Amino acid sequence: MNKTDRLLAIVLELQRKKVVRAEDLATLFEISVRTIYRDVQALSEAGVPIIGATGTGYSLMEGYFLPPVSFTVEEAVTLLIGTDFIEQRFDSDYRVKAQAASGKIEAILPESIRNETSRVRNVMRLLPSDNPITPS
């Protein structure tokens, strides 16, 4: 794994967990703890708000979020069909939220992937239901 990929992976790992020790990151990426220290410093210098506490580990400042870099066609289709399902089967509150999520997903997709997901979604239609699901 090159350094750029590893830096991104570190940020994503910090997003997934509240606190991560340098030793655990080093084991995960099969590198030395010293390299983790350098990587965390590089991320901090690049503006990623990492908080480190000796003996505890690293965490991201609350509210910091790095969106996914990209989706494969299959991942995008999966997510968008999921939003289609929610739009068709859930109540109006969830319908609106699913439409908003779908718009956000489509907005970050490259045109070629957006076109392919649109093609697949047009071929694979969900059968409408008369009864919307109301989550409890």
Side-chain angles (χ1 to χ4, degrees), residues 16-46:
R16 282 185 349 103
K17 299 179 179 174
K18 294 235 182 246
V19 177
V20 183
R21 298 178 327 129
E23 293 81 4
D24 296 333
L25 290 170
T27 301
L28 179 65
F29 298 114
E30 299 176 348
I31 56 175
S32 70
V33 172
R34 176 88 176 116
T35 300
I36 291 294
Y37 294 154
R38 287 192 299 263
D39 287 351
V40 167
Q41 180 164 353
L43 288 167
S44 292
E45 289 170 359

Side-chain angles (χ1 to χ4, degrees), residues 32-102:
S32 70
V33 172
R34 176 88 176 116
T35 300
I36 291 294
Y37 294 154
R38 287 192 299 263
D39 287 351
V40 167
Q41 180 164 353
L43 288 167
S44 292
E45 289 170 359
V48 177
I50 297 177
I51 301 165
T54 306
T56 304
Y58 296 109
S59 61
L60 288 175
M61 186 178 289
E62 189 165 334
Y64 180 80
F65 178 73
L66 182 65
V69 175
S70 64
F71 290 115
T72 65
V73 170
E74 294 82 7
E75 290 168 337
V77 166
T78 301
L79 293 171
L80 292 170
I81 287 177
T83 61
D84 291 345
F85 177 83
I86 290 170
E87 282 181 50
Q88 292 180 17
R89 306 279 173 103
F90 282 63
D91 64 17
S92 62
D93 289 338
Y94 277 91
R95 185 175 304 117
V96 170
K97 289 172 178 54
Q99 289 168 344
S102 179

